[in-house]
Amino acid sequence: MVLQPIVQQVSSSKPSGRLYGIGVGPGDPELLTLKAFRILQSSPVVAYPVSEQGKSLARSIVGNYLRTEQIELPMYFPFKLEESAQPFYDEAAEKLAQHLSAGQDVAVLCEGDPFFYGTFMYLFNRLSEQFTTEVIPGVSSIMASASALGAPLTYRNDAFMVLSGILPAQDLADRLKVADAAVIIKLGRNFPKVYEVLNDLGLTARALYIERATMPNQRIVPLTEVESHTVPYFSLILIPSQWKP
């Protein structure tokens, strides 16, 4: 599928409702951009992903900014390897399309940035060719974590990589060998594998660990003291550049 530009021109053939993908940042409500705040409050419909228990991190970040008269649309997407999320994205897209076709603007909340491992990307792929769509970038957890850790990510001509902890151990090792600086996300149950790779490459002393960056329960501990069975999904390992001025 050929994706349309992030901001499309309004045409008479398109429904009047506009679809917004709003990056709400990593957790601190004050990191929401002014533009995101304006669109969030002006949109009659607000949609957001929820867990099996009906909880939504994205909504909790901006909950105090919502208005009582706004229509809220919770969207459940499974994140289990054994269950495909595609039918759930199809269903959510259909619900959003109903409001957009009725001429209502819809703001979809997304943790971090919508186009950086964001759930909104899959809705964008399904709806942006039919409806005028705009993406509002947000502060990613990577940038927020670097600030919280007090660790500059890269200098000068560094090669910087963002790696998924889901990757096979050998793939992680091969990529880390050529990176000047890196961040490993999607830890959770992948933490023991990632730790072993870092240890084998002699990177454990340099690596920094953080959980739930900028949230009230943010936690920073030495990598060697992390208990693998307690590592949450919203955690990452930062391997900062070694360059010194």
Side-chain angles (χ1 to χ4, degrees):
M1 177 185 294
V2 178
L3 299 183
Q4 299 299 306
I6 292 178
V7 180
Q8 302 175 11
Q9 298 299 316
V10 178
S11 68
S12 58
S13 62
K14 286 192 174 184
S16 58
R18 182 182 289 260
L19 175 65
Y20 294 100
I22 297 182
V24 299
D28 183 349
E30 291 187 327
L31 291 178
L32 191 71
T33 66
L34 292 173
K35 185 171 185 178
F37 176 79
R38 174 177 60 81
I39 293 174
L40 174 66
Q41 290 216 313
S42 64
S43 298
V45 182
V46 179
Y48 44 80
V50 295
S51 66
E52 288 182 297
Q53 295 75 33
K55 296 181 179 180
S56 173
L57 174 59
R59 189 196 185 284
S60 70
I61 294 172
V62 300
N64 289 336
Y65 303 148
L66 297 177
R67 297 180 290 107
T68 55
E69 62 269 27
Q70 288 175 302
I71 299 171
E72 297 191 26
L73 293 178
M75 305 177 296
Y76 170 67
F77 306 126
F79 292 98
K80 300 175 182 178
L81 294 178
E82 62 274 12
E83 185 177 8
S84 173
Q86 299 312 308
F88 294 87
Y89 284 113
D90 291 339
E91 181 182 352
E94 290 178 5
K95 291 180 179 179
L96 298 183
Q98 292 175 7
H99 289 277
L100 293 165
S101 296
Q104 294 177 304
D105 290 348
V106 178
V108 180
L109 309 183
C110 188
E111 299 98 338
D113 181 90
F115 275 179
F116 188 73
Y117 294 98
T119 53
F120 179 73
M121 294 186 296
Y122 306 101
L123 298 171
F124 177 88
N125 290 344
R126 287 164 167 80
L127 296 170
S128 62
E129 291 186 349
Q130 182 181 357
F131 300 98
T132 302
T133 304
E134 182 174 358
V135 176
I136 315 303
V139 177
S140 74
S141 61
I142 291 176
M143 304 309 168
S145 295
S147 297
L149 291 164
L153 287 173
T154 58
Y155 293 90
R156 299 172 67 113
N157 298 319
D158 282 341
F160 175 68
M161 288 190 183
V162 178
L163 302 172
S164 167
I166 299 174
L167 288 170
Q170 189 58 55
D171 289 348
L172 281 170
D174 290 343
R175 288 169 169 84
L176 287 169
K177 288 176 183 176
V178 298
D180 297 304
V183 166
I184 305 173
I185 61 175
K186 299 186 179 182
L187 294 177
R189 58 185 179 183
N190 298 295
F191 179 84
K193 172 187 62 182
V194 173
Y195 183 87
E196 184 176 355
V197 170
L198 295 176
N199 196 47
D200 290 343
L201 295 176
L203 293 172
T204 50
R206 190 171 137 209
L208 305 171
Y209 173 86
I210 184 170
E211 298 176 0
R212 303 181 178 92
T214 79
M215 301 182 195
N217 53 348
Q218 172 182 294
R219 182 170 176 257
I220 299 173
V221 295
L223 184 64
T224 54
E225 297 180 15
V226 176
E227 297 180 1
S228 60
H229 66 279
T230 67
V231 175
Y233 178 82
F234 291 104
S235 61
L236 61 79
I237 294 173
L238 168 64
I239 305 169
S241 170
Q242 296 188 95
W243 190 86
K244 299 295 181 183

